Structure formats: structure tokens, C-alpha cells
Amino acid sequence: MSMVQVTRRDFEGRIRSCRVSNLARGFNLSVSEKENFITVLRSPSASLGGGKTRRLSLHNCFPSMLQRTNLSYVRTFSMFGVDNFSESMAHELFKNFKLMTSLDLENAGLQHFPGEVVNLTLLRYLSLRSTRIDSVPNSIKKLQNLMVLNLRNTLITKLPKKTLELPKLLYLFVGCPYVDVGAQVYPGVKCSTSLQKLSLIKANYKEISIVKELGNFIDLRKLGITELKEIEGKDLCASIEKMKHLYSLSVSSAGKEVYLDLKDMKKSPQLLEKLSLGGRLKEIPAWVGELYNLYKIELKWSKLQNSPLEALHALPSLKELHLYAAYTGAFLVFNAQSFLELRILEIEQCDQLIEVVILEQALPKLQKLIIINCHCLDMVRITKNMRSQLEEVRVPQDCVRIIEE
């Protein structure tokens, strides 16, 4: 039996989380520290010892305990369980990191971007995720070796002009995806053509659209864009057509009642696996029905008058369908032989929806059914086989009816 056990896979079979037993964890840490692979400090009384520490992690310890300690050999540093990390503490700590390449300060409680970080010129990975910083200094341009910059779930609303010009930058994460809040980026920058993931950014900077410039990022694998205006839809389609490797796309409009006009895609992104569209839709764009690798789609605030099922039912790889305020009709009927690979179906806030019907031989692999906050919902009709195969059901119990076979 392997020491590392898989605890969760996604519907494509890819590993999402693992675990080790307490015994194996203790053994791994002991060997790692003995071989000087990593040093983990778990109490204020712990010490580094006499070796040249290269990978250091603090668990529930204040960084002040490292004062008067030689940290010049540390390449990787991370902290866990430190809620109050002051600027002075950061300054004293980071000035000793001369060879740092990876710095993870997620949830560190920082109020401001630590200025000393920009002097870590060998840095390749920087995460300030879920801190309370609200700006990034222009001096970030010093980090010429930076490949990953994670500013997700911070208070940052605007990025310095030089951020996208960092020559080795591959991944840039900013904004708050759960509420579709992006950050502004400057138009007209000399973009890093090697950028692979960019999310979430606003479509405009002070009313100047950056949508056309997104076409310069031809190697993008992931793109998240917010506050798109209806008239910018055509330009966004043209930019997306240039991204031959795109597998994840999230687009939200400038408001819940603002339409997304994405019908002008002449050639659909064939590698696309995840698609999220947030905004009013007159209809689902025709190119969506050609996404044969798509396994997850999310429609938010679409308020479609016609059922979205007709456009999506034949997608051969679709495993997750999420509909949030996406339909204004009264009936949704899943016909036989439709959605043959679907595992998760979520319907929420479709306020005029009265009845959902899942017929025999429809959704044969469904595992999770959620229908909530649909205030007019009166009936959810499913077969007996469907009810027995479901692993999770969140539907008003008084609405469920079993179809007699």
C-alpha cells in the first residue's frame, strides 16, 4: 500500500487531494528534517539547528522567533496559522532572505504589500492570497524572474502597469472569483507573451477597453474577465479565437442585466473544458454546442426565455451543469438519451420554474442533484432508478415525485 492515498478525484480522474496517515506523516517529516529537505517549526521554542536551512515552514509560530537567525540559505518559505503579521515583522524577516525563490504568505493577515519582497530578485513564486493588502507597488517590476503571482481574494482593484510586462510571468491570479470581482490592468502594455493563466481582470481601465489586447496572449490556458460591455463581445470573440490552448474561460458582464454578445465566434476554442458565462443571454451561442471537450458549464443571470437544455444536451463530455437564474420558463424536461455523461446538476434561483422532469434514460450517470431557491417550484419528477443512484440530493422533499415506469 502506498504511503500517499488519494482522497478525491474529479470527474476526469485527475487527483485533487491526497492524505497520509499520522504515522507516515511523522516518518516523512523526520526523514525530511534529517536530510535537510525541509524544516518545520511548530512552537515558539523550536529552533533551526546548525544546518543550512533551504526550505522553511512556520506552523502557528510568529516570525519574530527567527530574529538573529541566519536565513541566508532559505529558498522556500511558507507560514500557516499566523493572523497578525505586521509590516515591521515582514521587513525584519525578508531582509535576510537572499536566495528566496518561493514565498507563500497566504492568510498571513498582512495589511500592506511587504516592501522588502521586491528585493528578492530570484523569486519565482509569490502568493499573498487571502491577505488584506489593497495595492501592489510599481517596484514589483524588479521581480524579473517571477513566474507565479497569486493575489486572489485580496483587496487589490488595480495592478501596476509593469505587472504584465514581467518577462517570465506565467500565472497571474487576482480578484475574487466567487463574487466576480476583477482587477484593472493598464491598456497598451508590452504584454508577456508567455502568460498562460490570467484571472480575474476587468474588461476596461477607466472606460478604455483592453479586450482587443487580450489577443496578444496567444498561449493563454485560462482567462477570467469581468465587467464586459455588450459592445465588446465581438472583440472578445476575436481575441479568444487566437488562443489555441485555452481550456478555461470565465466571462461576466458589466451588470446582471447587461447582455453578453458572444455569438461572433467563427471558430470555437476546441480545447475548452470549463466555461462560465455571467450575464443576460438572448440565446446560448451556437459555438458552445461544438465544445466536445467541455466538462463543466455555468450559466449565471442568463434569464433565457427558451430552455438551455436543447443547446447543451448532446455535449459528449459534459459532467457538470450549473444554472443560476439562467432560465425564466416554467418547465425543464430532460429527455431520454440526453446528458449521457452528466454527474452534477445544480439549478438555483430560477424563480418562474414550476416543474423539472427527468425522464427514463436521461442523465444515466447523475450523482448529485441540487434544485434550490426556485420559489415557484412545485414538482420534480424522476424515475425510481434515478432516485436510487443519486449520492446527494438537495431538493424540497415535498416536490419530489417518482415517475411510474
Side-chain angles (χ1 to χ4, degrees):
M1 180 183 292
S2 173
M3 286 197 303
V4 180
Q5 300 173 348
V6 176
T7 57
R8 186 171 68 89
R9 296 177 183 268
D10 63 18
F11 293 124
E12 294 295 299
R14 292 174 293 198
I15 296 172
R16 289 306 184 190
S17 62
C18 299
R19 69 180 179 186
V20 295
S21 67
N22 288 336
L23 182 62
R25 178 178 178 274
F27 174 76
N28 291 339
L29 288 175
S30 175
V31 172
S32 296
E33 293 177 3
K34 182 179 179 180
E35 298 294 329
N36 199 27
F37 180 78
I38 187 171
T39 300
V40 180
L41 301 183
R42 304 178 188 83
S43 69
S45 60
S47 62
L48 290 180
K52 296 178 180 178
T53 302
R54 290 178 170 79
R55 301 170 187 88
L56 177 60
S57 182
L58 297 188
H59 293 192
N60 304 305
C61 300
F62 279 102
S64 55
M65 66 181 291
L66 298 174
Q67 290 180 356
R68 297 182 297 277
T69 302
N70 182 12
L71 302 173
S72 59
Y73 293 98
V74 175
R75 266 78 163 175
T76 300
F77 180 78
S78 59
M79 283 195 316
F80 301 92
V82 180
D83 297 327
N84 187 16
F85 188 36
S86 66
E87 291 180 68
S88 59
M89 202 180 296
H91 174 78
E92 290 299 318
L93 180 63
F94 298 143
K95 72 179 183 180
N96 297 313
F97 291 148
K98 306 299 182 184
L99 303 176
M100 179 69 62
T101 60
S102 177
L103 182 58
D104 188 348
L105 300 176
E106 183 174 345
N107 289 308
L110 284 166
Q111 302 282 346
H112 303 285
F113 189 98
E116 287 291 330
V117 167
V118 299
N119 296 320
L120 306 177
T121 54
L122 299 179
L123 204 61
R124 294 198 296 262
Y125 176 92
L126 174 60
S127 176
L128 296 168
R129 181 177 181 138
S130 298
T131 60
R132 293 189 287 274
I133 65 172
D134 58 7
S135 63
V136 177
N138 290 322
S139 53
I140 197 171
K141 64 184 178 183
K142 294 181 181 180
L143 300 180
Q144 294 289 295
N145 291 297
L146 195 64
M147 301 173 72
V148 179
L149 178 58
N150 191 341
L151 303 171
R152 183 68 49 86
N153 297 329
T154 62
L155 302 179
I156 292 170
T157 58
K158 182 170 65 175
L159 291 172
K161 184 175 183 179
K162 297 295 182 180
T163 307
L164 290 179
E165 296 182 6
L166 293 171
K168 297 183 180 180
L169 191 64
L170 296 177
Y171 300 166
L172 173 58
F173 303 113
V174 69
C176 301
Y178 298 111
V179 290
D180 290 307
V181 175
Q184 291 182 334
V185 296
Y186 277 82
V189 297
K190 298 176 181 178
C191 304
S192 168
T193 55
S194 59
L195 198 66
Q196 294 183 9
K197 295 186 179 182
L198 178 61
S199 177
L200 284 163
I201 61 167
K202 294 182 179 180
N204 298 273
Y205 179 84
K206 295 182 178 179
E207 300 303 317
I208 301 174
S209 177
I210 66 161
V211 172
K212 286 184 179 181
E213 296 179 16
L214 292 176
N216 296 327
F217 298 112
I218 59 175
D219 287 328
L220 271 187
R221 271 72 169 165
K222 179 175 183 175
L223 172 63
I225 185 168
T226 66
E227 300 188 16
L228 186 76
K229 299 176 181 178
E230 184 176 358
I231 60 173
E232 296 170 323
K234 187 173 183 178
D235 289 336
L236 180 61
C237 289
S239 292
I240 291 172
E241 287 177 356
K242 299 176 184 178
M243 303 172 188
K244 305 302 182 183
H245 308 287
L246 194 68
Y247 72 79
S248 177
L249 175 63
S250 175
V251 182
S252 62
S253 65
K256 292 182 179 181
E257 298 300 322
V258 177
Y259 279 89
L260 288 175
D261 183 6
L262 301 175
K263 64 180 182 298
D264 292 311
M265 193 91 69
K266 297 181 178 66
K267 186 176 181 181
S268 61
Q270 284 300 300
L271 299 182
L272 203 66
E273 297 179 354
K274 299 179 182 180
L275 176 63
S276 176
L277 300 178
R280 293 290 300 272
L281 290 173
K282 295 178 182 177
E283 60 183 5
I284 295 178
W287 55 267
V288 174
E290 303 170 359
L291 300 175
Y292 301 121
N293 290 301
L294 192 71
Y295 80 83
K296 179 179 180 179
I297 185 168
E298 180 181 62
L299 300 178
K300 298 182 295 184
W301 324 315
S302 308
K303 295 186 178 180
L304 291 160
Q305 294 182 2
N306 297 321
S307 170
L309 305 184
E310 188 63 32
L312 305 175
H313 77 277
L315 289 172
S317 301
L318 191 65
K319 294 178 173 62
E320 297 186 37
L321 174 59
H322 305 263
L323 303 174
Y324 303 113
Y327 178 52
T328 59
F331 301 95
L332 276 178
V333 179
F334 292 82
N335 292 313
Q337 301 300 319
S338 65
F339 297 97
L340 296 180
E341 295 296 324
L342 200 70
R343 266 68 163 186
I344 296 178
L345 172 61
E346 293 188 12
I347 303 173
E348 185 173 354
Q349 295 182 18
C350 293
D351 291 335
Q352 298 181 51
L353 186 63
I354 297 173
E355 184 174 345
V356 177
V357 181
I358 303 177
L359 297 174
E360 181 72 20
Q361 298 183 4
L363 291 69
K365 298 181 180 180
L366 193 68
Q367 299 172 5
K368 182 177 178 180
L369 175 63
I370 298 176
I371 306 177
I372 56 176
N373 298 326
C374 298
H375 304 301
C376 292
L377 187 66
D378 180 63
M379 189 180 303
V380 177
R381 298 172 62 199
I382 60 177
T383 65
K384 186 177 181 180
N385 287 339
M386 169 67 68
R387 184 65 185 89
S388 62
Q389 82 182 37
L390 290 171
E391 298 176 5
E392 181 180 348
V393 181
R394 291 173 58 194
V395 177
Q397 286 301 310
D398 57 343
C399 293
V400 178
R401 302 288 188 275
I402 301 299
I403 300 174
E404 296 297 333
E405 301 177 21

